[in-house]
Each structure stands twice: as C-alpha cells, then as structure tokens.
Amino acid sequence: MKKTIALVLLASTVLATACSNGKEESNASPDVSKGATATSAAPLKGEIVFWHSFTQGPRNDYMKQAADDFMKKNPDVKIKIETFSWGEFYTKWTTGLLSGQVPDVSTALPNHVVEMLNAEAIIPINDVIDKIGRSRFYEAPLKEGTKDGKNYSIPIYSHAQVMWYRKDLLKAANLEVPKTWNELFEAAKKVNNPPNVYGLSVPTGSGDLMATRFLNFYVRSAGETLITKDGKANLTSKAALDGIKYWVDMYRATSPTGSINFKVLDQATLFYQGKTAFDFNSGFQIGGVETNSPALLDQIDAAPMPKLNASDADRGIETSNIPMVVWKNSKHPEIAKAFIESLYEKDKYIKFLHSVPAGMLPAMKDIAEDPAFLDNPTIKKFSNAVKVIGNAINSGTAIGMENGPSVQSGIITSQNVIEMMFQDIILKKDKAIIEEEAKKAEKKLNDLFQTATK
C-alpha cells in the first residue's frame, strides 16, 4: 500500500505504454451468442459496471451498442456504462480504490496498468487472451501488461507516433521527405514562413508530456532510452544532451514562440489548421485535418521517424496500446471477461476500428491484414500512412516501457520535469546551461523514482 499511496501522490494524468508464458490456444473468435463465457459453459447472470474513456462520437456509440448486443444475448446480464475523460478516469479509480468504488471492467492507459498492478487492483486475463488467440496479438502490447508470466491487460487498439508532413510544401521547396534529424532540421527551416506556416512546432508546455515525447523520439532513434534498464533517468548521455540541444535549436529556428506553453491539443491543432509543415502524431492526425482543413487532406502523408543516419537500423519509438482490464473487486469477473471477448468478434471489432479509421489500428496481426478492415475509404486513401504506422506499432512501446512495465514510466510522463527543463533552457537563452539543467532534471527524476519504488 505504501507504493500505491506514493504513486497516487506522484502521478497525474498521462494523455498518451515480462513476456507471457501462457500457452497459445485457438485463434478463433469467442462465441458468446448462447450466453456462455469463454471460460465457463454456465449461463451468465448478474450486473457489471463498465468504465471507458471514449466520451463522445462513434466510439462512444459503438460501446453502447456492444453492451446492448451483449445483454440481448445474455438476458440475465446488465451492463452499466460510465464514461470519463482520461483525466477524470485517473482521479476516479485512484480515489475509488481506497473506498472500493471501482468498476468490474474498464479501459485504461498503459501507465495506469502499471499502477493498478502495483496496487494489486486487477486480475490476470490469460484465459481471455488464449481464447481469442494469443498468437494473433502483437507481442509488445501484451508485454506492457505482463508480470511474472501473467497478462493483466489486453490491447483494444494500437497506434504509433510517426512523422507527418505537407506534400505540397515540400514540393514547392523542391525537398525530399527527410530521413534524418539533420535533414528534418534543414527542411523545416527552408519551409518556415511565419506566421502563415511554421516549419515545425516544438511543444514544451507543463501539464502534459509533449517535451518528454519529443526528446524520447531523438534518444530512442539513437538506440537509447530515457529510463535505463536499472530504472534510472537518462538525460545526460551524449544522445540525450544532443537531443535536448536539437529541440532547443529547432524551437528557436522554426517554432512559434507560444509553443513553449503548448500541450498536445495545441500542438496538433496547428497541423490540423495547415500552419505547420511537419508534426509527429498517430493516424488521429487524419481526422483532425479532415475536420479543420478538409482541403488539405490530399496534401498530408506520414513517414517513419527520422534517424541519426539514414543507414541506421529501424527502431521502435513510441507506440500507444490502449488496454482493457478486469478489476479484482468485481463480483462477476466471468461476465467482465466474456464482455471483453465479445468485443473481439471479427465484424464487431472491425466496426469499432472503423469508427476512427486509420486512427485506431488493430492490436491483432490477422485483422491488420484482413480485407474487411482494409476496405475503408480513409484507410485506402491513406494506405501509405497506415502501413508506416502499422510497421511502427510492433517495434515501439510506451515511453519508459522498453524493458517492460515500469513505475518510472508513469512518473517521467506525468511530472513535467523534462518540460520544465526545456522551458528553463529556452527562457534563459543560454546553450551553455543545457548540461547543467539536464543534470538537475535527471536528479529530480531519480529522486521521484526512488520515492515511488521504496
């Protein structure tokens, strides 16, 4: 409980990620049409509470319909749905855990799962994964929720950070798509034409994880991690210091001044509105542009993350795998598990993914290649971007989870230590202090890590 309290005090919302020993079983989708779970032939009876964070739009509608369908097939079951933003969800479960006011089943974020594991708040669901088909899932998403060979979460969808760019702006400047960080820097400077178009915005606002994300891009491309294998912060290696300097230089050369306070939505909106030539995001970028600047849809595409050298090996950077979990306090875990299984029935699952086409990609390899999934106008139009994101999914992880579930990953992405470091460096306008500020930030993170892991 000490660790749980420490984590609740230290961690805040993360808006943005131990292999299993479980035996692989059938690849078939579960059949709950007769009211039986995958793990029990007995009819289902009882009420469960389902929390999710798909608060609006087609995803919210889908989850309502999925619950209604399940209850029709299982007439003695009632599913009560409650929706919360990710910020509300974090507060709700961390406070509810102390009073027992938690759901039976819920969505989560990978960093939440680490804290839930630490609090012993969720139960293994190896049986659910095995019934759906363990070999169907990408390995990395399962690894993020695995402890001592037991799977505590199952990914409902995945997406990965890639580089987005404006084809028309590159063509007008006679530029190729950048493959290295140096090429990106030069291209961003060349197309930079404020206030109409900025080359690339560098967000460092506190209260979000964007500066940490950007630094992670650079450090991971160098083959390093922001959290070492022994659980220490890494801000002072050559790769980390080079990355800090790179983004400070980019901010000064191509970024709007206000981006020093940008959070994730501020950053994305600039690209949605056609005001940045380059950005980093997942396939959700498509929907944002379609809503804000539909005329630009034909002018955007995605490419793999830049490298230090074009000949460097491809490395996974940042993947977000959104999981589902079953709570230990549930009086009806058999219903919670059966409901989860029902969401992966092929036709239903593809319908769910198509509710945000190209934004939510399959967590399962066979669905990613299924003609029914690929037969969608947006996915067809952005087939190159979908391929780029798909290739990145299985090789990346959530920030700080490169070596498995990590308490430190939640801290580094929620405490804004790196964001405040960048702000201090930028505001002081002195490159000579980069190493000094990096050392201070590294120490602060390590102190937080030590407190949380005592």
Side-chain angles (χ1 to χ4, degrees), residues 53-96:
S53 293
F54 307 133
T55 56
Q56 59 187 355
R59 294 193 296 178
N60 190 6
D61 295 340
Y62 171 84
M63 285 301 177
K64 290 178 182 176
Q65 187 62 53
D68 287 343
D69 290 345
F70 188 84
M71 288 187 286
K72 286 178 183 177
K73 292 178 180 178
N74 299 274
D76 292 326
V77 168
K78 180 173 177 57
I79 300 176
K80 181 181 179 182
I81 298 178
E82 297 179 28
T83 59
F84 307 96
S85 69
W86 284 121
E88 292 172 324
F89 171 73
Y90 183 84
T91 300
K92 189 79 173 176
W93 82 257
T94 51
T95 56

Side-chain angles (χ1 to χ4, degrees), residues 86 100 118 124 129 136-137 143 185 235 240 261 268 294 373 394 416:
W86 284 121
N118 199 63
I129 294 169
R136 301 174 68 194
F137 289 90
K143 181 179 179 181
F185 189 84
L235 298 182
N261 294 314
F373 167 70
N394 195 40
N416 300 132

